[in-house]
Amino acid sequence: MCITVFGLIAEEGLLENQALLLAESIRKFAGIYSSSRIVVISPRSSRRPTQGTIKLLEKLGVEIVFLDIQSVAPEYGTSFRVHAAAILEAQCSEERLVFLDSDIVFCGEPSLELGEANAAARPVDVKGMCTTGVDDANDAYWQNLCKISSVEYDDLPYTTTTVDSLQVKASYNGGFIVVHPAAAIFRRTEEFFVKSVRSNIRPFAGRGLTIQTGHGLVTGVGAEYWGSSQACLSLAIWGNGLTLKELTRSHNLPIHIESYLSGDRISQIDPIAIHYHHVFHLDNARQSAARLNLSREVSSWLQEKLPI
């Protein structure tokens, strides 16, 4: 079996509670990967996890790394994950690195084999800041990003979004990414992201958006950058002659989208990793979890933990 390490972010507040739940779920339900090394990164000295959380993580055998990352775009919280993933990748001795959003919980053993590919991820949920092609209003952002990154726009293949089933230039949900560290995908993603910030290229510039995330609402400059880390990831893969294997939706199940929790769709999916965003923080978190096709063991464990 290929030696694997899991990486994620934890900060004071919601993120540390999410990180603790994620780490425990790996240890309990990730099967052959349950004993893998888990690295939790605290990227900012001003937002360290509490001592109580640190002790609980250590009891789970989790390695905690304290950094003081100076983000090029601190308003965009995801930027700290971009920098942290690049740092962990550069120091990684394992053959495979799985970097996760903290608002994910494992329900079963994942399929992490890459085969001939260099990375694995699930396509984005909805179109959002993606482009369907040259006539799309978002296409200028992608064209400009390719230009400053010295990537050929035509090298980016098309993929199908998970929820709204649209054909878009390849973009992947950043919550569950598997890479071979030797391919330097996260380091190249960071390089492209830094270039985009310094070139003032933002997918939602001037649109005044408010984004609902697993750690709260994002507005202002942070919302203007939303999705840019995922675009840079796509360029880091396809613009450098690498390839990606698409994960099934069971490996990164977006339950914050109501269409997944209604009708017959959810009953057809056996969750491996749930990407719950804000859902498990709500008062009706237990009811939402009960609608999922979970084993009795996972369901019982999760019901005791919710709401986060």
Side-chain angles (χ1 to χ4, degrees):
M1 182 183 73
C2 185
I3 301 176
T4 301
V5 58
F6 293 91
L8 60 141
I9 295 285
E11 297 195 285
E12 184 179 17
L14 285 177
L15 286 181
E16 64 180 309
N17 296 332
Q18 293 173 353
L20 186 58
L21 187 72
L22 171 52
E24 187 174 342
S25 74
I26 292 172
R27 292 290 184 240
K28 282 183 171 291
F29 304 119
I32 61 173
Y33 301 104
S34 61
S35 61
S36 296
R37 187 164 73 111
I38 302 174
V39 179
V40 169
I41 297 173
S42 169
R44 290 183 270 193
S45 58
S46 61
R47 301 188 182 185
R48 298 297 189 212
T50 63
Q51 285 301 310
T53 297
I54 291 171
K55 289 179 180 178
L56 290 172
L57 287 170
E58 289 175 342
K59 286 182 68 175
L60 290 169
V62 172
E63 177 183 340
I64 306 169
V65 178
F66 299 102
L67 301 176
D68 195 6
I69 294 173
Q70 302 302 308
S71 170
V72 292
E75 304 90 345
Y76 178 46
T78 307
S79 66
F80 290 94
R81 187 186 67 197
V82 171
H83 294 305
I87 291 169
L88 181 57
E89 181 187 66
Q91 301 173 351
C92 189
S93 60
E94 287 83 0
E95 301 164 80
R96 184 168 49 211
L97 167 59
V98 184
F99 212 90
L100 302 161
D101 274 358
S102 302
D103 55 343
I104 279 180
V105 62
F106 278 82
C107 308
E109 182 179 296
S111 177
L112 302 178
E113 297 300 326
L114 293 176
E116 297 299 317
N118 306 100
R122 176 180 60 74
V124 290
D125 307 325
V126 296
K127 178 179 177 292
M129 52 73 67
C130 298
T131 178
T132 57
V134 294
D135 295 326
D136 193 291
N138 296 334
D139 201 63
Y141 166 80
W142 287 81
Q143 296 274 3
N144 289 334
L145 184 63
C146 285
K147 183 176 180 180
I148 65 167
S149 304
S150 300
V151 169
E152 291 294 329
Y153 174 86
D154 290 338
D155 286 346
L156 300 179
Y158 282 88
T159 190
T160 303
T161 58
T162 303
V163 175
D164 52 13
S165 300
L166 294 175
Q167 289 281 302
V168 297
K169 280 288 190 177
S171 185
Y172 306 97
N173 185 276
F176 192 135
I177 308 292
V178 188
V179 300
H180 283 312
I185 290 170
F186 288 145
R187 281 163 282 181
R188 196 169 292 112
T189 298
E190 180 187 42
E191 175 191 340
F192 293 168
F193 178 71
V194 169
K195 286 182 178 180
S196 74
V197 172
R198 290 176 177 168
S199 299
N200 200 30
I201 298 175
R202 307 174 190 176
F204 292 120
R207 299 197 196 180
L209 295 182
T210 297
I211 309 293
Q212 174 72 64
T213 75
H215 55 82
L217 298 177
V218 177
T219 61
V221 174
E224 292 187 358
Y225 278 114
W226 203 254
S228 58
S229 65
Q230 297 174 169
C232 292
L233 174 71
S234 293
L235 268 63
I237 297 168
W238 297 109
N240 288 276
L242 304 178
T243 57
L244 178 139
K245 172 186 175 182
E246 292 195 353
L247 293 172
T248 64
R249 62 190 66 187
S250 67
H251 282 67
N252 188 350
L253 186 64
I255 67 166
H256 66 302
I257 298 174
E258 180 57 29
S259 63
Y260 268 81
L261 292 179
S262 59
D264 296 330
R265 200 173 196 182
I266 196 67
S267 66
Q268 299 170 5
I269 301 173
D270 294 323
I272 295 297
I274 301 168
H275 198 164
Y276 56 85
H277 296 263
H278 60 281
V279 173
F280 284 172
H281 303 299
L282 304 178
D283 291 339
N284 65 345
R286 289 191 180 94
Q287 292 93 316
S288 296
R291 298 162 72 181
L292 302 173
N293 192 23
L294 302 175
S295 71
R296 181 176 298 181
E297 181 184 7
V298 173
S299 179
S300 177
W301 172 79
L302 197 53
Q303 289 294 326
E304 291 181 359
K305 301 291 182 179
L306 299 180
I308 300 173

